[in-house]
Amino acid sequence: ERLMLENALRRAVDRDELLLHYQPQVAADDGRVSGCEALVRWQHPELGLLQPGQFIAVAESSGLIVPLGHWVLRTACRQLARWQAQGRKLLMAVNISALQFRQSGFYDGVCEVLRQTGADPAGLELELTESALMEPTPEILGRMQKLRDLGIKLALDDFGTGYSSLSYLKRLPIHRLKLDRSFVKDIP
């Protein structure tokens, strides 16, 4: 079953079976929509609409997360550029896998997507997981700084699921910290 899913996923991008849903991000103080998060779904021809939990682990273990992540980034930036052309000032958050972020050509790929789509980098937020940034090397920190220098926002997603420490956070050039539900669920 896993092999069948992996093989079908290899063809999903070419067959235009992937789609993005945009989950609104709402400001707590006034209720206005301040941005959205791009969430990938797979419209499988036989299994119907699949949620990320049903295929992302397969994509990560097979390496397919890299082309899948590139498709998500390109599609989200295309939509962001449309909204920006309409005068909407929204922040588009896009999840980036650890494998995708650690690719040597990641920064250049982001620059190319921005150039192709015309999206303003100031409207883009890349969400990185703790696993992408565990023991960040000077190269990883440099990559993060170059993305910031472009105007892209960086968020640390799912904080609290790994080996989190506040001293570790101080070294990272991030704009936003997204706490994992499990980290705060038992706090009164």
Side-chain angles (χ1 to χ4, degrees), residues 110-165:
V110 170
C111 291
E112 181 62 16
V113 164
L114 291 170
R115 188 192 64 71
Q116 288 175 351
T117 62
D120 180 354
L124 180 61
E125 179 179 72
L126 301 180
E127 294 188 358
L128 307 166
T129 60
E130 276 187 88
S131 60
L133 303 176
M134 289 308 284
E135 299 180 26
T137 64
E139 178 187 357
I140 294 294
L141 291 171
R143 184 174 303 151
M144 291 176 75
Q145 190 58 53
K146 284 172 62 177
L147 291 165
R148 278 186 62 120
D149 291 346
L150 282 177
I152 294 171
K153 311 289 184 291
L154 299 174
L156 181 58
D157 196 13
D158 296 335
F159 182 76
T161 58
Y163 300 100
S164 313
S165 79

